[in-house]
Amino acid sequence: MNWGERLHKAKAFISNGLFHAALDELRNLEHTSEDQNNENKGEFYDEQGKLSIYLTDYKRSVGLFLSAISCAHSKDAWVKYHVHLAVAYRRLSEFDTSYRYLNQLLEFKDEISAQTRGLLYLNLSAVQGIHGFYDQSMISAHKSLEFFSLVKDSEGYIADLYNNLGLAYLENGDFEQAEEYLNRAFTISGDQHMDIISEMGRMNLLRGRIHEGIHNAEVALRLVWSRIINYDKEEIARLCHLLAQISMRFHEVDLAIRLNEKAQLFFGQLGMWRQWQDIDSEVTEWMELSASCTDTSDGTDLNGISLQEIRLFLTILDAINSQELIDKKISTLLDVRVHYVKLLADQLGLSNTEKDRLILAARLADYGLTALEHELVLNPDRSVQAYEQYKKHPWLSVSMAQTIQLDQCVIDIIIDHHELLDGSGFPQGKQANDINFLAKVLSVVDAYTQGVTIHQKTHDECLHQLASQCGMRYDETVVERFFELFQT
């Protein structure tokens, strides 16, 4: 396989969400990249930069896009790499820097392809919306749509643009146009964009369509467990805001304030201070009402969604956040583990219910680690005593999970996820058929993701370890299906 074919293979891995396999492939190409022409080198650095964004290493992506820019073989490539650089700065919450780059690139709009112009205006529209320049955001979005209409396979971009337009019109108070574009975005993307559904709910509430807004919230809340895989903070923030407004409609002031505070937390982490400030003003107003309002609808069914369900969502969100606070490595592990669990669930042909349970278990299986010492969590093998303490965390996870009313099927996965076929696992030393099948699936993914995140092993090293223990510690069918993911 020549250099170009291997780069193509890495790109295929990235497009299929197999990020650590792509990382291995690109690392193997790195030592020969200097022998390539500028076109190949630019593409190589650009792919590495995009992969770093997927792996949330935004600072590294900035350096890689700068390297791609230095190798750009054409004006079109040079502009495209700069757009990607602006995206990296946006992910770093450096919105002013991102906006400045994109504005400067407009000087070259007549020298680049329709697709690159579409990308430029798409990202400009997004940053203008973040800054609150809604009229400008709409102009940029319409220009982007014009250019993408000339490009094949641009449907994904168009859904984002319709969403941008819907949000901009909504913030400007033009509900008719907002509804038109949000509906278009939803038609294209369906349940791929939870934030579209949340904003449709907010729009319906603002228009006095209470039942429609509650229905949107119900759809988003059902979707959140299958989409917790991505755990997109902006999506979760917008859903929290919608649920807060619904709770407030039913005089659940304290619940509404807690949800809005959670939305503020996520918007603050993203550096989206305009959105943070809007919610802060809302929270201040609601706090003044809290003294005079009494909760009157505890557990009431709101046409398909219950206040109890909203409270449970908030409680589980708190549990997820508490795990992230243990250590950056643990936070990364959770994200990566859930990501590969979803891919393997699809490969195994699991039902949506099984997949949702598995995803939730993967996100909360280490909840018990929050009750252990930080050093013990990161280095359980430091002593026999430390490892014995560490082995208790599935029981702790179950005990804590029961307080948030998790389904028993999810709890069964959590308690068994460290059990191994040969009986050498913990906490009960179960063997073979005694182990919950979905826990066997999580066990395989956990072994892989522990390797690539906590232990910094390569993708190939982790696959080799799984292969050597297949049938002895890990379920043979599950391992075979996991390996099939990487057969591009």
Side-chain angles (χ1 to χ4, degrees), residues 314-344:
L314 184 58
T315 303
I316 292 178
L317 202 54
D318 284 338
I320 291 170
N321 291 156
S322 69
Q323 291 180 105
E324 294 174 334
L325 295 174
I326 298 172
D327 189 88
K328 172 68 174 172
K329 288 182 179 179
I330 300 298
S331 178
T332 301
L333 169 67
L334 297 178
D335 290 338
V336 174
R337 185 167 68 191
V338 175
H339 177 73
Y340 287 106
V341 153
K342 181 179 182 297
L343 294 178
L344 182 53

Side-chain angles (χ1 to χ4, degrees), residues 469-486:
Q469 298 172 337
C470 178
M472 293 180 290
R473 304 185 78 179
Y474 304 109
D475 185 277
E476 189 171 352
T477 299
V478 176
V479 172
E480 287 176 356
R481 293 292 180 273
F482 187 66
F483 276 46
E484 286 173 5
L485 288 171
F486 305 100

Side-chain angles (χ1 to χ4, degrees), residues 274-314:
R274 182 183 180 89
Q275 290 78 1
W276 187 97
Q277 186 61 54
D278 288 344
I279 293 178
D280 191 58
S281 300
E282 199 170 59
V283 168
T284 301
E285 180 183 338
W286 290 357
M287 281 181 170
E288 293 173 358
L289 292 172
S290 65
S292 58
C293 285
T294 305
D295 292 349
T296 59
S297 50
D298 186 39
T300 300
D301 191 312
L302 309 179
N303 191 31
I305 184 173
S306 68
L307 288 169
Q308 183 180 1
E309 191 174 7
I310 295 175
R311 289 192 183 96
L312 179 59
F313 162 74
L314 184 58

